Structure formats: C-alpha cells, structure tokens
C-alpha cells in the first residue's frame, strides 16, 4: 500500500487549496456516518486548522472551520470498533493500492477503525465554529 493524503483523493485538491494545506483531522468531530452495501456511503467530519497563537483564555485559535464529506463508492472492507452516535477523531490515514483506497482513523472518543472502497470522493463546505 502507498501512503496518500486527502489532497490525493478525487475532489481533495480543492479542499487542500481552500484549507491552504492538508487538514490533519486531529480533534475533528464525526457528524454523520453511513455505510451502505450496493449504494454510496458517506462520512461527514467537521474539522479546522489549529493556529499557533492563543486567545485571551490561553486556548489555541481555531480557524478554517469546514465540514468535509467523504463519499464512499463500492465498499470492499469494513472494520470498526466502539461504534457510538458521535466520535472525535484523533487522526486520519489514507493508503491506496490496486484494489482501492483505505481510510484508517483513530479516535479520542467513539468509533475507530478502517474502511476500504474502490473510490472515495471529497467535497466540503466552509462552516462557522461549533
């Protein structure tokens, strides 16, 4: 398998251009998660960029808030653990091979695991902070 980033996926270059870099998805919130056999599935994740500056309370400034939708086509393999209504993602890894694309994600809270599909398409919508 070859390592990839979200920028390498179909539609991902536009997200990375808007984000002015590659989102890490650290502390991102999983808003929607739908997997369907024989039909496209999707993950909707709210993420942001954490700046090095802090506010008056000492919290890092969070900018570039965005909802990222990963539409999953032709599901191949699923391995999920601790499936709950919500999740906070610790990190997102992407790998590709001749068979498809694998999304692996760890969580600080909630669901974690991996999903492999033939095709994954990225779309996004800038949002306000949660």
């Amino acid at each position: 398998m070859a390592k990839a980033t979200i920028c390498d996926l179909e539609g991902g270059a536009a997200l990375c251009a808007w984000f002015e870099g590659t989102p890490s998805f650290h502390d991102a919130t999983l808003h929607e998660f739908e997997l369907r056999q024989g039909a496209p599935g999707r993950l909707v994740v709210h993420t942001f960029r954490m700046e090095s500056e802090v506010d008056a309370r000492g919290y890092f400034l969070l900018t570039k808030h965005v909802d990222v939708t990963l539409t999953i086509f032709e599901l191949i393999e699923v391995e999920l653990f601790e499936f709950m209504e919500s999740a906070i993602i610790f990190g997102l890894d992407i790998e590709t091979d001749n068979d498809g694309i694998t999304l692996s994600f760890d969580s600080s809270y909630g669901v974690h695991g991996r999903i492999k599909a033939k095709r994954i398409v990225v779309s996004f919508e800038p949002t306000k902070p949660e």
Side-chain angles (χ1 to χ4, degrees), residues 103-128:
L103 297 177
S104 300
F105 52 99
D106 295 323
S107 70
S108 303
Y109 172 83
V111 66
H112 57 96
R114 62 188 184 85
I115 299 165
K116 186 171 186 173
K118 290 280 186 190
R119 181 173 161 234
I120 298 175
V121 177
V122 177
S123 58
F124 67 98
E125 185 172 330
T127 64
K128 296 186 189 267

Side-chain angles (χ1 to χ4, degrees), residues 10-81:
E10 184 178 338
L15 169 65
C16 293
W18 178 85
F19 203 77
E20 299 176 35
T22 304
S24 73
F25 292 91
H26 178 72
D27 284 344
T29 306
L30 182 60
H31 280 219
E32 294 179 39
F33 192 177
E34 177 183 36
L35 296 178
R36 299 174 57 187
Q37 194 69 330
R42 66 189 215 142
L43 276 77
V44 179
V45 180
H46 177 84
T47 194
F48 46 81
R49 181 169 55 204
M50 185 182 301
E51 305 292 348
S52 57
E53 297 87 19
V54 295
D55 64 16
R57 298 178 300 170
Y59 295 109
F60 287 107
L61 294 176
L62 305 178
T63 62
K64 293 286 190 176
H65 289 262
V66 62
D67 284 343
V68 178
T69 299
L70 302 169
T71 304
I72 301 161
F73 296 91
E74 298 182 61
L75 197 59
I76 297 171
E77 194 173 291
V78 176
E79 186 175 20
L80 299 173
F81 304 94

